Amino acid sequence: MKMIDRRDILKGLAAGTAAAALMPALGGSALAQAGGKVVVGTWGGDYARLLTKNIEEPLLKPKGIEILQDQASDSPRRAKMVAERRLPRGTTDIQGLSSANMYEMNEAGVLEQLDYAKIPNAKNLMPSMKYPYGIGQIYSGKVVVYNPKLIDPAPTSFKDAFDPKHGNKIGIIDIQYLYVIMAASMAATGGASMVDFEGAKKVLLEAKKAGARIYPTNEAFAQAMKTEEIGIGVMWKARAVQWQNAGIPVESAAPSEGIPLYISGFSIPKNAPNKENAYLYMNAMLEKSAQEAFAVDMGYNGTVTGLTIAPDLQKRIGFTPEEEKRLKDLDYGYLAKNDAAMKEWWDKVFKG
């Protein structure tokens, strides 16, 4: 999560696209409506492609709905939402955001408070994935990832992931700074806290002193794992599954201190021009077929009950009953308040 500054807002204004015409209000009959447009704010790459493959093409286009994707990383999209909040109509109808970013945008006053009566499939939604201002579509957890050839014995904790004994085989991902700091906090406190910033500093400084390498992106980290430049770090379990599918020598271990949740979902801006079709999109993403397809294609767990997932896949992407007890949601308020200070320290230490 990145706090928004003036430059982000200017970028957001520059990135604005023409809004679709406002749909008539249909109340509870929204699901019977066909036609019109919906503009979807989303990350690009595989995720955008899979939205098209698993939700838009099979479930919405047959209803005559035209889908336009506004692809960008979340920071400029959030900046644009804030920049547009005084406009009667914004330029997007629904926005893909992490749970932390949904919280931030709700605090900024730009999100619709959802009418769950317009999302029939939400009756199957796990309670922890249901927010007043958004819904969780998929989730995973932060785990330790490692190459068993290079790291022996296998790690069991975040403390192991940052152990200075691994030297320059430790990899750290720059864009994941917030979650790396949370993992380091848990390492420092034995899982007692995800927001012990001072404890996290000590853990990370020791790892850096030992030779830990920093990589700008998830993809750069994956390449380093592939070439065996590094052998251990922290990452979403779902991403580790994708890397395994790509032939990268990586295993994952659920940390004993606890497993921070990553939830990706969608919210509707207050000034969305096509709110009824935004609700249709939300309902479609909770369809059983769409949820199961994302598990297969991306390695993420679905957020609705009653899914049919092959046992071997479930073992790879999911968590055991004991591990599920260790899943931990984030302290969104603390992160929103302290993100700027954490980022400033991070940049000074790892990029200065």
Side-chain angles (χ1 to χ4, degrees), residues 141-145 154-164 166 170-172 176 178-194 200 203-204 207 232-237 252-261 319 326-328 330:
K142 182 65 78 176
V143 297
V144 182
V145 293
T156 62
S157 64
F158 284 135
K159 185 177 180 179
D160 291 341
F162 298 112
D163 193 327
H166 299 308
I170 301 171
I172 293 174
Q176 296 258 351
L178 201 62
Y179 294 93
V180 173
I181 290 172
M182 282 192 285
S185 170
M186 296 175 76
T189 63
S193 174
M194 285 192 283
V203 169
L204 292 171
I232 194 166
V234 298
M235 176 44 76
W236 313 121
K237 187 174 186 180
S252 67
S256 59
E257 299 97 340
I259 307 166
L261 276 168
F319 299 93
R326 303 207 304 272
L327 291 171
K328 295 186 177 185
L330 314 184

Side-chain angles (χ1 to χ4, degrees), residues 232-249:
I232 194 166
V234 298
M235 176 44 76
W236 313 121
K237 187 174 186 180
R239 181 72 70 161
V241 172
Q242 295 174 42
W243 292 343
Q244 290 168 351
N245 293 341
I248 296 174

Side-chain angles (χ1 to χ4, degrees), residues 17-99:
T17 56
L22 184 65
M23 290 289 292
L26 296 176
S29 65
L31 292 177
Q33 172 68 22
K37 292 182 179 180
V38 62
V39 181
V40 183
T42 179
W43 302 272
D46 286 343
Y47 184 69
R49 177 180 62 80
L50 293 174
L51 288 178
T52 300
K53 174 189 173 187
N54 298 326
I55 297 172
E56 297 167 3
E57 293 282 357
L59 300 173
L60 294 172
K61 288 193 176 180
K63 297 179 184 293
I65 297 172
E66 180 184 0
I67 301 101
L68 303 175
Q69 290 189 353
D70 179 17
Q71 296 183 12
S73 62
D74 60 82
S75 184
R77 288 191 286 111
R78 284 183 285 128
K80 185 164 66 173
M81 292 169 69
V82 172
E84 294 178 347
R85 64 182 162 187
R86 297 188 183 278
L87 300 178
R89 296 196 303 176
T91 58
T92 58
D93 300 305
I94 187 168
Q95 284 280 354
L97 299 166
S98 72
S99 55

Side-chain angles (χ1 to χ4, degrees), residues 208-229:
K208 181 176 184 290
K209 184 178 179 181
R213 304 174 189 266
I214 188 165
Y215 297 91
T217 63
N218 301 334
E219 291 75 18
F221 179 95
Q223 181 62 26
M225 289 290 289
K226 183 176 182 179
T227 62
E228 300 184 359
E229 182 173 84

Side-chain angles (χ1 to χ4, degrees), residues 293-312:
F294 265 88
V296 173
D297 290 337
M298 284 199 77
Y300 279 86
N301 297 278
T303 57
V304 301
T305 58
L307 300 181
T308 303
I309 307 295
D312 60 333

